[in-house]
Amino acid sequence: MKVIFVCLGNICRSPMAEAMFKQMVTEAGLSDQITVDSAGTSNIAEGSPADSRTKAILDQHNIQDDGMIARQLSLQDYYDADYIIAMDQMNVADAKAMAPAGLAKKVHGIYEATPGKTDHYIVDPWITHKFQNTYNSLNEALPNWLKKFQNELNK
């Protein structure tokens, strides 16, 4: 199974989600079954490392960020990924609009697997400067995705 987390530039939310989810997948013993990646809907920050504030939050929580470099979501990603999980409404809309015919159904909102919060999203901390809020939101949403994927893998 391949999961790609998506935000606008791939320097704040999606690399944080990628690093956090990789750790969760490893701790669950599923690294051989779930591949985790991230990308942006735009190429605005392509080639840049994760934002220093994202790295600082990950460091605070002892989460490896293993030198992630921003990249734009590619057409091949739609074929390779089982799930493309976007951080906000605009990311969802853009990722669906970029999808090749028949593949937009792979795009989901970050809280879609969280009961009672399926219409919630994560605001861009590059604008709000609230990187801890991003971590807290991801810490709430990501375990629900892990449960969903574990259920799918056990079928």
Side-chain angles (χ1 to χ4, degrees):
M1 177 180 288
K2 182 167 185 176
V3 181
I4 302 175
F5 292 99
V6 176
C7 66
L8 177 66
N10 191 215
I11 58 170
C12 298
R13 294 168 290 176
S14 58
M16 189 182 293
E18 176 186 351
M20 291 172 71
F21 203 65
K22 274 183 181 172
Q23 181 170 306
M24 290 176 181
V25 165
T26 299
E27 289 172 357
L30 297 170
S31 299
D32 58 336
Q33 295 177 68
I34 301 174
T35 305
V36 185
D37 197 0
S38 66
T41 55
S42 80
N43 65 358
I44 193 167
E46 196 160 15
S48 301
D51 187 286
S52 61
R53 296 163 293 181
T54 289
K55 289 174 164 281
I57 292 289
L58 292 172
D59 288 348
Q60 273 178 10
H61 296 279
N62 298 313
I63 300 171
Q64 290 282 335
D65 69 58
D66 51 354
M68 293 180 281
I69 301 297
R71 68 179 188 88
Q72 186 173 18
L73 194 61
S74 71
L75 291 180
Q76 191 60 49
D77 286 327
Y78 289 91
Y79 295 103
D80 295 344
D82 296 289
Y83 288 88
I84 297 171
I85 302 172
M87 299 295 149
D88 65 31
Q89 299 96 315
M90 186 59 74
N91 303 149
V92 169
D94 289 345
K96 284 185 175 189
M98 294 166 67
L103 298 180
K105 65 184 179 290
K106 292 185 175 189
V107 179
H108 304 272
I110 185 65
Y111 271 100
E112 199 172 299
T114 305
K117 291 198 167 191
T118 56
D119 61 342
H120 285 60
Y121 293 94
I122 299 176
V123 202
D124 193 342
W126 195 82
I127 296 165
T128 66
H129 307 286
K130 296 180 179 178
F131 284 77
Q132 184 62 51
N133 288 359
T134 300
Y135 176 86
N136 295 345
S137 295
L138 288 169
N139 205 34
E140 178 181 34
L142 294 176
N144 297 302
W145 283 106
L146 184 60
K147 277 184 220 151
K148 177 179 175 49
F149 299 151
Q150 284 172 315
N151 290 337
E152 285 183 25
L153 291 168
N154 289 329
K155 284 184 180 175

